Amino acid sequence: MWHALMHIEIPVADKVVRTLAVYLLIVALLRLAGKRELAQLNGFDFVVMLLLSNVVQNAIIGPDNSLWGGALGAILLVGANAVFVRVVLVVPWLKRLVHGSPSVLVWNGRWRERALFRLGLGKAEVVQGIMEQGGDGVHDTRLVTLEPQGALIVRLRESEQNADKTDMADLRARLERIEAHLAALAAK
């Protein structure tokens, strides 16, 4: 029993190549599948992710079911991910290749139908994101993008944006001028 648990059935180099190849394949597949896969998983996407992990399991471990073989595969996956994420951060062309660029979903209050279809996003999902960020609907937006990591960024039309400190200071100064003018009129 202990032999089956502790003896790695395939050469370590084979395990390394298998693990790294499957890792890179999954990264490429997720990149091709699009930002939506990372943004929010619906029920179908979740099932695909679960089944995908099961499908590639044997490609990583091969004919090896040992405890050490599984541990080595896990260590290689976590290590490869740590290295890959850091390399992507410092190599600009690789960052663009892996992450891609933002996708414009709404421009000046108008839907970009082709982008929505390509990403597999419904208008209701985008409208929900717009409402969560302070808009009442697509008509309130200047620009809505889906970022490479899956975040929905909403830029509202200027007339729909919340007031900031500068706006409040300008309003306060204007009110003071009006009050001063009214006081001057009342004094006459």
Side-chain angles (χ1 to χ4, degrees), residues 25-86:
L25 173 67
I26 297 300
V27 167
L29 285 174
L30 286 175
R31 171 65 176 96
L32 291 173
K35 301 173 193 97
R36 183 178 178 278
E37 299 301 322
L38 304 174
Q40 60 189 102
L41 298 177
N42 63 33
F44 299 115
D45 299 332
F46 185 67
V47 169
V48 168
M49 292 300 223
L50 286 174
L51 292 176
L52 184 61
S53 66
N54 191 46
V55 166
V56 299
Q57 175 188 349
N58 289 339
I60 290 176
I61 65 171
D64 180 14
N65 288 322
S66 69
L67 178 63
W68 290 120
L72 179 60
I75 290 167
L76 286 167
L77 274 175
V78 171
N81 187 58
V83 169
F84 189 69
V85 165
R86 284 158 182 80

